[in-house]
Amino acid sequence: MMARQSGFALLIVLWTIGFLALLGTQLVAAGRSDTRLAENLKQEAVLRAAADGAVARVMFGMQAAHDPGFRAGAGERSIRIGGTPVLVRIEAESDRINLNTASLALLRALVIETGAPPAQADRLAAAILDWRTSGAKARPGGAKAPEYRAAGLPFGPPGTPFQSVEELADVLGMTPVLFERLAPHLTVLTDSDPDMTTRDPIVALALTDAAGVAEDALTARESAEDIVRISVTALGRDAARYSEEVVAAADFQTGTPRVNILLRQRVTRAANGTRIAGAF
């Protein structure tokens, strides 16, 4: 009897030791996971601060120091903010085509230059104009509310100007691949179309294709105020990175230079490589 009780007690002790060992392993694993999460959050904060610092550095370089390395079209360069390397690119927003002012012919030409066949370009350009203009009747090949309903979509064109380039993704006929190709050549932040001095080769080809069409007014925007798009990517450990874009209206030709932020957004990549931009 005593032997049975001793054996049972030993079994309880062994079971308790095993349970405590398992519990300890779980606690250690959870602690390591929490430590990694804290380190990742810390690194993201550092990278974001470096990206913000790079934007400020660019604006200072353009506004106060007149650094030739900080000018639109100068190409990508690397700078260091603290101990963090940051890739910087500056583009003139006026090199892009404005979704709200471009004509049918110019939009069609841009869609074709980004790889779509002419028939698809015809429909999409018409749908873009139908999206931004009022009225219930679709233009030939275009799309208003009935066409969106027929496609099974729970929304239709608002009949108002585009508020962002990302809104283009909702236009009937747009595909994720085509949007990815079009977005880098479009804007809603300028007040007219670009001209042939654009540094965007795709836009230049679209302008050439659309030239001579009567409804096109391909004139340059004449203003002392330049709108620039500043793209920065802060590089961290283990391939970590943080990217953002800032679009700013910068007047550097007056006695008191000034900068007005028009757009600030974080840029990420989905698993399939698709670019995702979100304002914050």
Side-chain angles (χ1 to χ4, degrees):
M1 185 70 175
M2 291 292 294
R4 282 186 186 177
Q5 290 178 346
S6 297
F8 184 68
L10 178 60
L11 182 62
I12 292 176
V13 170
L14 292 175
W15 183 86
T16 303
I17 292 173
F19 174 75
L20 291 175
L22 178 61
L23 181 61
T25 300
Q26 294 296 323
L27 290 174
V28 170
R32 289 175 179 172
S33 177
D34 289 343
T35 299
R36 285 196 298 270
L37 177 60
E39 289 177 350
N40 290 340
L41 291 173
K42 177 182 177 182
Q43 178 168 220
E44 180 174 346
V46 169
L47 294 180
R48 178 170 179 172
D52 291 342
V55 171
R57 170 80 177 277
V58 169
M59 290 182 176
F60 175 80
M62 296 178 68
Q63 178 178 338
H66 303 291
D67 187 335
F70 292 124
R71 69 178 187 278
E76 188 174 74
R77 63 178 294 186
S78 178
I79 62 176
R80 296 191 75 85
I81 302 297
T84 304
V86 183
L87 303 178
V88 174
R89 181 182 296 276
I90 307 168
E91 301 170 290
E93 197 72 2
S94 58
D95 287 341
R96 300 183 175 215
I97 290 173
N98 191 314
L99 268 174
N100 291 321
T101 62
S103 69
L104 182 70
L106 183 54
L107 290 169
R108 177 183 182 277
L110 179 65
V111 175
I112 290 174
E113 291 299 339
T114 52
Q120 182 183 9
D122 289 339
R123 294 191 299 271
L124 189 55
I128 291 172
L129 262 66
D130 282 342
W131 182 276
R132 77 188 195 198
T133 55
S134 60
K137 184 178 180 181
R139 66 190 69 240
K144 284 291 188 179
E147 286 74 24
Y148 283 79
R149 287 197 299 271
L153 296 172
F155 59 86
T160 57
F162 286 88
Q163 298 300 303
S164 69
V165 172
E166 284 67 35
E167 192 179 332
L168 178 64
D170 292 331
V171 172
L172 188 65
M174 181 60 63
T175 66
V177 171
L178 188 53
F179 176 78
E180 182 81 3
R181 294 173 181 170
L182 285 168
H185 312 291
L186 294 168
T187 184
V188 296
L189 299 174
T190 58
D191 55 16
S192 66
D193 295 323
D195 64 10
M196 291 305 297
T197 64
T198 177
R199 283 155 288 204
D200 185 325
I202 297 297
V203 171
L205 288 171
L207 289 168
T208 299
D209 293 343
V213 179
E215 63 173 318
D216 278 312
L218 309 180
T219 57
R221 184 175 67 92
E222 297 181 0
S223 173
E225 186 174 63
D226 294 320
I227 301 180
V228 294
R229 181 177 294 258
I230 304 166
S231 303
V232 296
T233 298
L235 306 176
R237 301 184 308 274
D238 302 323
R241 57 179 53 207
Y242 181 94
S243 300
E244 67 180 51
E245 289 181 346
V246 171
V247 180
D251 184 358
F252 303 137
Q253 301 184 22
T254 61
T256 305
R258 53 190 174 84
V259 175
N260 180 31
I261 302 296
L262 304 178
L263 173 69
R264 193 181 201 108
Q265 59 187 10
R266 180 175 181 178
V267 179
T268 57
R269 290 280 173 181
N272 61 0
T274 303
R275 179 179 182 275
I276 303 172
F280 59 85

